[in-house]
Amino acid sequence: MIITKKAIPRRTVLRGLGTTLALPLLESMVPALSAIAKTDAKVARRFSVVYVAHGYAPGFWTPKGTGADYELTMPLQPLAKFRDRMLLLSGVDNTAALQRPGDPRGGHGRMAPAFMCGVHAKPTQGADFQAGVSVDQIAAQHLGKETQLPSLQLSLEPVDFSGSCDSGYSCVYTNTLCWRGPTMPLPMEDNPRAVFERLFGDSGTTEGRLRAKRIREKRSILDSVLDKARTLSEGTSASDRRLFDEYLQSIRDVERRLETAEAQSSRELPVVAQPAAVPQTFPEYAKLMLDLQILAYQADLTRVSTFMLAKELSGRTYPEIGVAEGHHALSHHGDMEDKLSMLTKVNAHHTSMLAYFLDRLQSIPDGEGTLLDHSVVLYGSGHGDPNKHDPINVPLAIFGGDLIKGGRHVHHDHQHVANVHLALLHTLGVPAESVGDGNAAISLT
Amino acid sequence: MAERLWSGCRRRRALATSAVLGVAWLQASAGVAAPSPQNSSQRRAEGAPSESASAPGASKTPGTGAQHDAGLLKRYCITCHNNRLKTAELSLETIDPAHVAKDAATWEKVLKKLQSGAMPPMGRPRPDAAAYASFASWLTGELDGVARANPKPGRPATFHRLNRVEYQNAVRDILGLELDSSALLPGDDAAFGFDNIGDMLTVSPDLLDRYLSAANKISRLAVGDTSVQLGSAMYPISQYLLQADRMSEDLPFSSRGGAAIRHYFPADGEYTLKVRFAGNSPIGASSMRERPPQTLDVRIDGDRVAQLTTTGRDFEQPADVGAVETKVMVKAGPRVVGVSFPRSTVMAETRFPQLFPWGNSAAFGTNTGSVRYLNVSGVEVTGPQNPQGLGDTPSRQRIFTCRPTQTSQEAACAKKILGGLARRAYRRSVTPADVQVLLGFYEKARAERGFDGAMQVAVERLLVDPDFLFRVERDPVRTAPGSNYRVDDLALASRLSFFLWSSVPDEELLQLAEKGTLKQPAVLEAQVKRMLADQRSSSLVTNFAAQWLYLRNIRGANPDSYQFPDWDDNLRVALARETELFLDYQFRADRGVPELLTADYTFLNQRLARHYGIPNVYGEHFRRVQLKGEYNRGGLLGHGSIQLVTSFANRTSPVVRGKWLLENFLNYTPPPPPPDVPDLPAVGKDQAKLPLRQRVENHRKNPVCAGCHNVMDPLGFALENYDAIGRYRVRDEGSVIDSSGATPDGTKFEGLHGLRSIMEKRQVEFVATVTEKLLVYAIGRGVEYYDQPAVRAIVRDAAADNYRWSSLIQGIVKGIPFQMKQARLPEEKVAQ
């Protein structure tokens, strides 16, 4: 679907992409987009989380040397270009994921909720799951007030494969990274077309008046639905209504988003083509999803995004780099040389995707600087050494412009990852008091 | 070996659990009550939900029985399961056999162990077979009696959202529109192996956003959109699909390659069809000049609309090189666009003769020195240019049950249409208020959009209504908290249709429900029969069985193409199809559940038969094939699909296969390894060269590991002859495969045949497992201890009928968990 910024006649051609995969952003659009709405000359801050499962084998993350003088390990080589922007952390623990008596042995089910929410996931297989509020959603509550979408949640794996969940843990703990509330997981989008439509709506046009009209239609529908829903829930108990209350809450949230969208309906949007299908190779797929996040930032449709680059328990192979064994199988390396070698290749492959993201962020002007200048990107994993599901010393790197002092490796002494998150939130201007079980923000300077 | 593991009760929990598993293979004859056909007919006559009968031979006198059984408990169980030791966190010291009702949950756990013969553990004293059976039998009777006296139907979610599949099917049945909901809605989280568990189906603003978009799209396609914009859809074709033969049943017999695409044409009008080609690998510069033009047939619903010629392209050239396109007038609706090459039966003499591609791999595009066949890489449909009208699509026919010819007729017609749609969508009779809501939207849009356009807006509103998206089962007013009640007929109709069709009830069910006659046993039984015979019951294959047997994972499998050069998407599709057709046959022909494992036939096409090494199967269509012993196939365990989804990308895993079998066929989840299991010692490079069996046997050398692995691994070893993509092999890493094994109690078995014999001995457990999984799927909640009497009753009743699927399904529908519900308890406590 090519969206033009002028009012388009109804017969405008909407064209699919075919075999091309990168979104061809026209350069001429970029200057216009850089004048994104700012309040009080304050720059719009973006927050991105890029999560990879299964950590790093010991010795492959923590560099030798601290401060500015350190040696990048092999899997981090693709990030060499961004060394001066990168705050590399070691000695940070995913403390909430430590096994407690009574926990199922696995661990994968604990890793992501602990990393993202700073809480110990309730050990259950059933529907009584419970986590916390994830760091991106805390950020979205604040940063998302001015945008149509409070946040974006993207992944590269569908959730409907059987047996893809950690034994003893509800599937939801590995299917998603993002939690609006302890019992409110958010679905992660793995379909690029669907992401595209969420960003640009289903009106098929960027023309302000028509988009506003469509928004008003949706609001009218939702008002009517809310009325109906209220009568439907009369006479039911609170516990019965739990899911239905989420439905009511969701309606109100969407209404709020539509309000914002309507207010911004005269905004210009870039000329892009809609993705046709899920790309067949991992690098193409990952880059396409990253491009969509960039697009969302550029058009200020959202300021928070979370990307699950690799899912916990993922069995994905990476034939493009010569790795024919599944990621999860490799992560139980048993200190065997061949497995370690393949695992670190996968790690490097993932960081090269991150490098692509950072590169694109840096190439896009945003106000006085670039998107990267005004972003905070968090890259990490819930696992330290994945061999024994060890949440100690997890990989964690923060990239940012003026907000983050990069170019150094800081080694902590068993710091709770939630405290790092809290510090990041404060840096972004989000007035959060705590993240999960964390007790105090660390210093990032 | 047993002695080494045991040093009295003071053992690590690890050994305790391993010992439990260690004897899970003793004969399962103990404790399972004999079937009682006369009781089942009695029950039908009574009209009450199915009740469990006490087993023959059970001690009827509480006094004698309890005393007798207390003695057994003291002698064989309490030595370990007492208050001081609490082995496996279970104490039976204070449990009272005279009042089983007090601790029914614990007793059910005890019974499960007795039914599989797992307790007392091997090496410990156990009663003689008769006493063992008598005790198990008595306990079954007691538990069933408790359930009879005080039934617990459980409490599925009050608000149960439709999942993605159900939404898709509902749209199909209400609006007559077939579409793929995975493009419109996110996936649903699963629990207990299924994605239709009410309490797991959460709602988020993101999901609601998607529902709004989906409603808009669907309503426009279904009603027809007068303002339809020029759109384009790309259908890429996997590069791993070998296009050497007829690719689809929708393409002519004389065709080769290409694809048949299902596309929805939104309006009558002119459409451009563009076909792109995959690049040929040039074999020397001369091949580029010598490549002859090839003819491409383009068909719509089987009628040829164009014949185009192309010289194709080399893979280095841009995608559009050699692409062809044509403009066609097409009528609105779902149609099959078929592109294919005519099969050449005569070849000109050329410098590079075309060789037949058997044994070639799509992955590598190898073709032993010949000019490669030209492959289609994608089809793009753009249109409509100059839309002529909305046409007469199936969905428009379904929706417009009246057509106003004058403006004065419109209001009444709108009311009729919307009333009818709402009835199907809300799964009940509609109130004037229901219709008025929809009419409101119609009226607002009428002036600007016309009759049809205004109808679209109303349908859009319908599709996001909570009455559509949620199945609501509220407790009837003035129901005492915690009491049991029978679900009303409308709720029953929905439960039936979502169980058997994964869709909304049809008119017949709704009418019976409204009359209040659906609950009558004869009516209910007849309806189940009708519904199973209906085509929509294929959801039991595509939804229930596909999740139970992990078949959905086939599309995500990614075998290493260097180790498995024979792997391509043709094989992927064929493996899935074999199992799909096999399962479909089981349901349609109402076979017995054990036949899943014992079948001596399967469904094959040429590609799959070649993979399996089965001769004399030609052509890409599937047909039933009788299996001979030497084919080494038969039953689900011989299906390549199952072997594929229980393997890794680069090798088999006997442990994964063994565990999968225990969980999915015998309802036994091996506990995860204990927390302090030491790592297997790091081994030298030589380790990698050993056949997999020997590498895995390291697990069993360590006694801490042996307990569980002695049970799992032999099951997996029995299937070691089937590699990670389901092909039969005799050697692994150079050594002949050893597929022999033994159960912990010493029974030897070998290969698929031996595994099938082992499973046949556990037939009742297998059927009980299938029943339990089917029950979870049917009621949308996990199965609890208090559902076990119902499961036992279903299995008992079905035995007389050789465990046919219809017996199991009828039994579930008749049972208490399906027909009744417990009202919420005070203080909203979860039902105990």
Side-chain angles (χ1 to χ4, degrees):
Chain A
M1 185 161 59
I2 296 183
I3 302 176
T4 62
K5 48 185 182 121
K6 304 189 190 65
I8 50 172
R10 280 167 169 205
R11 304 264 178 259
T12 304
V13 176
L14 302 169
R15 186 167 291 141
L17 255 184
T19 52
T20 42
L21 302 145
L23 294 175
L25 278 173
L26 298 187
E27 287 303 314
S28 60
M29 289 307 303
V30 171
L33 283 176
S34 64
I36 297 294
K38 296 182 200 121
T39 49
D40 301 325
K42 248 197 318 197
V43 155
R45 294 285 166 203
R46 277 68 158 205
F47 180 49
S48 306
V49 179
V50 179
Y51 182 90
V52 284
H54 310 144
Y56 280 60
F60 287 97
W61 173 265
T62 310
K64 293 195 183 65
T66 55
D69 216 357
Y70 67 90
E71 220 180 282
L72 273 178
T73 55
M74 184 285 256
L76 294 176
Q77 293 297 337
L79 297 168
K81 182 177 164 199
F82 296 97
R83 204 187 154 113
D84 56 333
R85 302 272 206 163
M86 173 167 66
L87 171 59
L88 191 63
L89 299 176
S90 60
V92 178
D93 299 340
N94 190 10
T95 321
L98 282 166
Q99 187 169 21
R100 295 180 191 171
D103 276 348
R105 203 232 167 185
H108 294 275
R110 289 195 296 277
M111 296 311 178
F115 182 88
M116 295 296 291
C117 311
V119 300
H120 188 84
K122 180 176 171 188
T124 175
Q125 281 192 101
D128 56 336
F129 51 82
Q130 199 176 313
V133 186
S134 54
V135 59
D136 64 311
Q137 291 305 304
I138 299 175
Q141 281 163 22
H142 190 81
L143 299 176
K145 283 200 204 131
E146 292 172 29
T147 55
Q148 289 180 35
L149 294 175
S151 66
L152 261 190
Q153 296 79 241
L154 306 182
S155 78
L156 298 172
E157 266 183 69
V159 300
D160 59 351
F161 291 147
S162 308
S164 61
C165 314
D166 198 12
S167 66
Y169 280 103
S170 180
C171 292
V172 74
Y173 291 134
T174 42
N175 282 348
T176 186
L177 294 175
C178 306
W179 296 74
R180 281 177 78 230
T183 55
M184 293 201 276
L186 293 178
M188 316 244 359
E189 292 283 5
D190 60 288
N191 184 336
R193 277 188 82 99
V195 177
F196 187 90
E197 275 173 16
R198 292 214 55 223
L199 294 178
F200 296 107
D202 43 18
S203 60
T205 173
T206 56
E207 204 275 324
R209 256 186 323 111
L210 292 173
R211 277 174 54 221
K213 181 158 181 279
R214 172 72 194 134
I215 292 167
R216 278 195 297 276
E217 283 169 11
K218 279 195 199 173
R219 291 183 71 181
S220 156
I221 290 176
L222 282 182
D223 284 339
S224 164
V225 164
L226 196 56
D227 285 339
K228 185 82 175 297
R230 285 205 191 99
T231 46
L232 207 59
S233 61
E234 273 165 17
T236 52
S237 72
S239 62
D240 283 348
R241 275 204 321 265
R242 178 179 63 88
L243 286 174
F244 201 67
D245 281 342
E246 284 174 22
Y247 171 64
L248 293 173
Q249 182 62 41
S250 299
I251 295 175
R252 289 187 203 104
D253 281 349
V254 176
E255 287 198 312
R256 228 174 290 136
R257 292 183 196 182
L258 290 174
E259 245 183 78
T260 315
E262 192 172 354
Q264 298 173 348
S265 56
S266 54
R267 224 184 246 179
E268 292 170 355
L269 286 178
V271 182
V272 287
Q274 182 173 25
V278 173
Q280 280 198 312
T281 71
F282 172 80
E284 290 170 335
Y285 193 9
K287 286 180 181 172
L288 177 57
M289 294 303 240
L290 288 168
D291 282 342
L292 286 166
Q293 289 169 75
I294 303 273
L295 202 54
Y297 284 159
Q298 220 175 335
D300 207 26
L301 293 166
T302 189
R303 294 180 189 165
V304 177
S305 83
T306 306
F307 186 34
M308 188 156 68
L309 187 55
K311 183 175 183 234
E312 290 291 341
L313 287 173
S314 161
R316 186 190 287 275
T317 60
Y318 297 88
E320 65 270 13
I321 52 168
V323 173
E325 217 175 312
H327 188 193
H328 178 226
L330 286 175
S331 71
H332 288 284
H333 50 77
D335 290 314
M336 283 163 34
E337 212 181 293
D338 56 339
K339 289 219 206 239
L340 286 172
S341 151
M342 284 199 282
L343 180 62
T344 41
K345 264 195 191 163
V346 173
N347 292 143
H349 199 39
H350 290 157
T351 52
S352 70
M353 295 298 122
L354 176 65
Y356 172 82
F357 186 46
L358 296 169
D359 212 39
R360 295 230 48 229
L361 282 169
Q362 197 170 52
S363 71
I364 298 192
D366 185 51
E368 301 283 305
T370 68
L371 264 185
L372 184 58
D373 290 335
H374 305 142
S375 291
V376 171
V377 179
L378 174 70
Y379 177 74
S381 175
H383 271 98
D385 176 12
N387 190 36
K388 287 204 248 185
H389 303 133
D390 191 5
I392 300 299
N393 190 24
V394 298
L396 203 58
I398 304 168
F399 301 82
D402 30 11
L403 291 177
I404 303 291
K405 181 165 163 238
R408 59 205 172 103
H409 161 224
V410 175
H411 182 79
H412 287 270
D413 183 23
H414 292 295
Q415 182 60 253
H416 197 318
V417 69
N419 295 336
V420 177
H421 291 336
L422 190 59
L424 283 178
L425 288 171
H426 290 166
T427 309
L428 287 161
V430 177
E433 278 181 22
S434 66
V435 175
D437 297 344
N439 39 36
I442 61 165
S443 162
L444 285 175
T445 50
Chain B
M1 182 207 69
E3 283 72 15
R4 250 199 307 133
L5 289 177
W6 294 92
S7 47
C9 297
R10 295 185 191 281
R11 64 181 83 84
R12 294 194 287 173
R13 206 172 112 239
L15 291 174
T17 47
S18 58
V20 160
L21 273 175
V23 286
W25 283 96
L26 291 183
Q27 283 296 324
S29 55
V32 180
S36 43
Q38 63 275 28
N39 289 345
S40 54
S41 52
Q42 254 181 314
R43 276 191 289 284
R44 274 189 216 116
E46 279 158 19
S50 179
E51 294 163 0
S52 34
S54 37
S59 170
K60 286 277 164 68
T61 328
T64 349
Q67 266 174 358
H68 164 78
D69 299 311
L72 268 180
L73 272 181
K74 206 163 169 200
R75 193 133 42 104
Y76 300 106
C77 313
I78 294 177
T79 25
C80 297
H81 294 290
N82 54 54
N83 286 344
R84 188 174 51 95
L85 288 171
K86 280 229 171 95
T87 311
E89 286 158 30
L90 174 69
S91 169
L92 296 172
E93 195 170 332
T94 45
I95 206 168
D96 184 3
H99 298 98
V100 165
K102 270 201 282 192
D103 299 286
T106 308
W107 283 117
E108 284 284 358
K109 282 195 199 143
V110 171
L111 182 59
K112 183 162 184 185
K113 291 282 184 275
L114 294 177
Q115 281 172 332
S116 59
M119 279 286 142
M122 203 155 65
R124 305 298 294 164
R126 66 163 49 203
D128 61 70
Y132 195 105
S134 157
F135 182 78
S137 194
W138 164 82
L139 184 55
T140 307
E142 287 291 304
L143 284 167
D144 288 352
V146 165
R148 241 193 337 271
N150 186 17
K152 283 191 183 349
R155 190 171 171 72
T158 302
F159 291 95
H160 182 146
R161 172 173 73 72
L162 260 57
N163 72 15
R164 184 164 71 177
V165 172
E166 291 162 350
Y167 181 98
Q168 176 174 322
N169 291 345
V171 166
R172 175 197 67 201
D173 292 341
I174 299 168
L175 299 177
L177 185 69
E178 300 239 19
L179 43 62
D180 179 13
S181 62
S182 64
L184 296 169
L185 299 173
D188 303 294
D189 291 312
F192 314 115
F194 299 104
D195 62 3
N196 64 348
I197 306 300
D199 283 322
M200 285 299 290
L201 293 166
T202 54
V203 187
S204 61
D206 298 1
L207 178 59
L208 197 61
D209 233 348
R210 297 270 240 137
Y211 276 137
L212 283 169
S213 297
N216 184 258
K217 266 214 197 80
I218 291 171
S219 59
R220 283 177 190 276
L221 280 178
V223 172
D225 185 5
T226 43
S227 63
V228 63
Q229 288 170 308
L230 187 62
S232 144
M234 248 299 285
Y235 297 96
I237 295 166
S238 164
Q239 57 180 302
Y240 298 111
L241 209 53
L242 190 67
Q243 294 179 31
D245 208 338
R246 179 182 179 222
M247 297 306 289
S248 157
E249 308 260 308
D250 294 310
L251 293 170
F253 283 108
S254 57
S255 70
R256 177 211 55 90
I261 313 281
R262 282 190 156 65
H263 179 76
Y264 198 94
F265 292 86
D268 296 347
E270 186 185 70
Y271 292 84
T272 306
L273 305 174
K274 184 168 183 178
V275 183
R276 294 185 176 82
F277 298 96
N280 276 7
S281 340
I283 301 156
S286 54
S287 69
M288 287 200 270
R289 278 172 269 139
E290 286 184 24
R291 201 166 54 228
Q294 295 200 35
T295 320
L296 182 80
D297 284 340
V298 180
R299 293 181 147 79
I300 303 227
D301 284 345
D303 294 327
R304 189 165 64 194
V305 295
Q307 233 180 347
L308 310 165
T309 47
T310 177
T311 48
R313 62 178 260 255
D314 292 322
F315 73 88
E316 290 144 343
Q317 294 179 311
D320 268 9
V321 169
V324 292
E325 67 180 53
T326 179
K327 286 188 173 31
V328 193
M329 292 299 296
V330 186
K331 288 207 169 300
R335 307 212 176 276
V336 178
V337 176
V339 301
S340 60
F341 304 96
R343 186 195 303 266
S344 55
T345 48
V346 174
M347 285 184 288
E349 283 180 22
T350 60
R351 194 169 158 202
F352 296 105
Q354 286 195 345
L355 297 178
F356 294 114
W358 321 145
N360 294 329
S361 160
F364 286 98
T366 56
N367 42 53
T368 52
S370 70
V371 174
R372 189 175 173 220
Y373 283 126
L374 193 55
N375 285 355
V376 173
S377 70
V379 178
E380 186 176 355
V381 182
T382 308
Q385 314 262 25
N386 314 313
Q388 308 287 307
L390 297 177
D392 202 22
T393 62
S395 55
R396 278 176 65 78
Q397 286 175 22
R398 179 81 63 93
I399 292 168
F400 291 100
T401 47
C402 55
R403 281 227 150 274
T405 47
Q406 300 162 304
T407 339
S408 57
Q409 295 173 343
E410 281 184 6
C413 182
K415 210 167 175 182
K416 176 170 184 240
I417 292 175
L418 294 172
L421 291 176
R423 177 182 165 78
R424 291 298 307 281
Y426 303 166
R427 309 175 285 275
R428 57 171 172 76
S429 41
V430 291
T431 63
D434 286 324
V435 183
Q436 191 46 50
V437 167
L438 301 170
L439 270 178
F441 279 85
Y442 158 80
E443 278 153 15
K444 256 190 292 183
R446 174 65 190 86
E448 192 193 324
R449 308 278 307 272
F451 183 75
D452 288 18
M455 208 40 71
Q456 178 264 315
V457 174
V459 171
E460 184 176 345
R461 168 64 186 82
L462 176 75
L463 290 172
V464 288
D465 194 282
D467 266 321
F468 170 61
L469 295 174
F470 288 89
R471 291 157 58 185
V472 187
E473 283 185 7
R474 335 151 96 91
D475 296 338
V477 287
R478 287 188 297 276
T479 314
S483 65
N484 298 335
Y485 64 91
R486 186 191 275 280
V487 302
D488 65 55
D489 272 21
L490 278 173
L492 194 59
S494 276
R495 285 189 177 201
L496 272 175
S497 69
F498 283 103
F499 173 29
L500 299 176
W501 291 343
S502 291
S503 186
V504 295
D506 63 358
E507 190 55 37
E508 189 171 331
L509 274 174
L510 284 177
Q511 283 186 10
L512 289 169
E514 281 169 334
K515 276 194 281 199
T517 53
L518 185 58
K519 63 170 87 56
Q520 290 169 8
V523 175
L524 196 55
E525 193 172 319
Q527 283 303 303
V528 170
K529 213 166 163 184
R530 172 181 81 87
M531 294 172 81
L532 285 175
D534 189 289
Q535 183 55 39
R536 283 168 280 192
S537 66
S538 62
S539 66
L540 286 169
V541 173
T542 57
N543 227 4
F544 166 69
Q547 292 183 73
W548 168 44
L549 297 171
Y550 286 34
L551 302 176
R552 284 186 180 174
N553 297 8
I554 294 173
R555 73 169 208 275
N558 198 12
D560 177 25
S561 37
Y562 284 95
Q563 272 196 282
F564 305 106
D566 212 30
W567 174 263
D568 56 25
D569 275 348
N570 309 61
L571 184 58
R572 183 198 304 271
V573 167
L575 288 171
R577 193 97 182 99
E578 175 193 15
T579 310
E580 193 186 1
L581 286 170
F582 177 75
L583 291 167
D584 196 63
Y585 175 72
Q586 300 303 307
F587 283 105
R588 299 260 155 255
D590 202 14
R591 310 300 299 166
V593 168
E595 198 164 312
L596 286 173
L597 301 178
T598 62
D600 59 355
Y601 56 89
T602 190
F603 296 81
L604 302 173
N605 72 353
Q606 181 175 331
R607 177 70 180 90
L608 194 53
R610 183 182 105 217
H611 185 65
Y612 285 170
I614 295 177
N616 302 324
V617 177
Y618 300 110
E620 52 23 83
H621 60 283
F622 274 80
R623 83 297 313 268
R624 181 177 158 141
V625 173
Q626 197 61 26
L627 296 168
K628 296 197 190 138
E630 70 249 29
Y631 294 161
N632 297 305
R633 297 281 163 182
L636 282 176
L637 292 171
H639 279 216
S641 58
I642 306 282
Q643 291 148 5
L644 174 73
V645 298
T646 53
S647 298
F648 294 134
N650 60 342
R651 64 168 177 85
T652 58
S653 169
V655 178
V656 169
R657 283 185 181 167
K659 178 170 180 275
W660 186 93
L661 213 148
L662 285 176
E663 283 183 331
N664 292 299
F665 287 175
L666 293 171
N667 210 11
Y668 199 99
T669 306
D676 48 355
V677 162
D679 278 340
L680 292 178
V683 289
K685 282 218 167 130
D686 296 280
Q687 184 74 347
K689 292 288 193 312
L690 290 173
L692 184 61
R693 176 162 184 146
Q694 278 179 257
R695 288 157 65 193
V696 173
E697 299 234 283
N698 279 332
H699 284 150
R700 304 206 277 164
K701 287 210 192 99
N702 187 329
V704 170
C705 312
C708 297
H709 281 277
N710 274 350
V711 185
M712 286 192 285
D713 298 2
L715 302 176
F717 289 144
L719 295 173
E720 254 310 86
N721 287 107
Y722 304 91
D723 70 9
I725 59 170
R727 195 176 36 195
Y728 188 81
R729 60 178 179 175
V730 173
R731 288 177 180 276
D732 174 32
E733 299 286 359
S735 330
V736 173
I737 286 173
D738 173 14
S739 68
S740 66
T743 60
D745 70 347
T747 315
K748 292 204 199 317
F749 61 97
E750 184 168 349
L752 175 65
H753 185 72
L755 191 57
R756 282 166 58 162
S757 316
I758 294 283
M759 289 302 298
E760 263 177 279
K761 294 204 189 88
R762 326 269 310 173
Q763 194 180 77
V764 178
E765 265 176 87
F766 177 59
V767 175
T769 304
V770 176
T771 305
E772 201 173 297
K773 297 211 182 280
L774 207 46
L775 183 62
V776 170
Y777 180 79
I779 57 181
R781 64 167 173 85
V783 153
E784 306 283 343
Y785 78 89
Y786 48 77
D787 298 310
Q788 294 303 328
V791 173
R792 283 195 288 273
I794 295 166
V795 174
R796 262 199 306 266
D797 290 351
D801 207 12
N802 290 318
Y803 302 117
R804 283 181 195 281
W805 284 100
S806 60
S807 295
L808 253 59
I809 289 170
Q810 292 280 10
I812 286 175
V813 169
K814 285 200 293 251
I816 286 175
F818 196 82
Q819 293 214 6
M820 302 188 70
K821 192 164 169 177
Q822 181 178 31
R824 68 176 164 82
L825 288 166
E827 295 117 59
E828 277 109 55
K829 269 209 303 248
V830 173
Q832 276 306 296

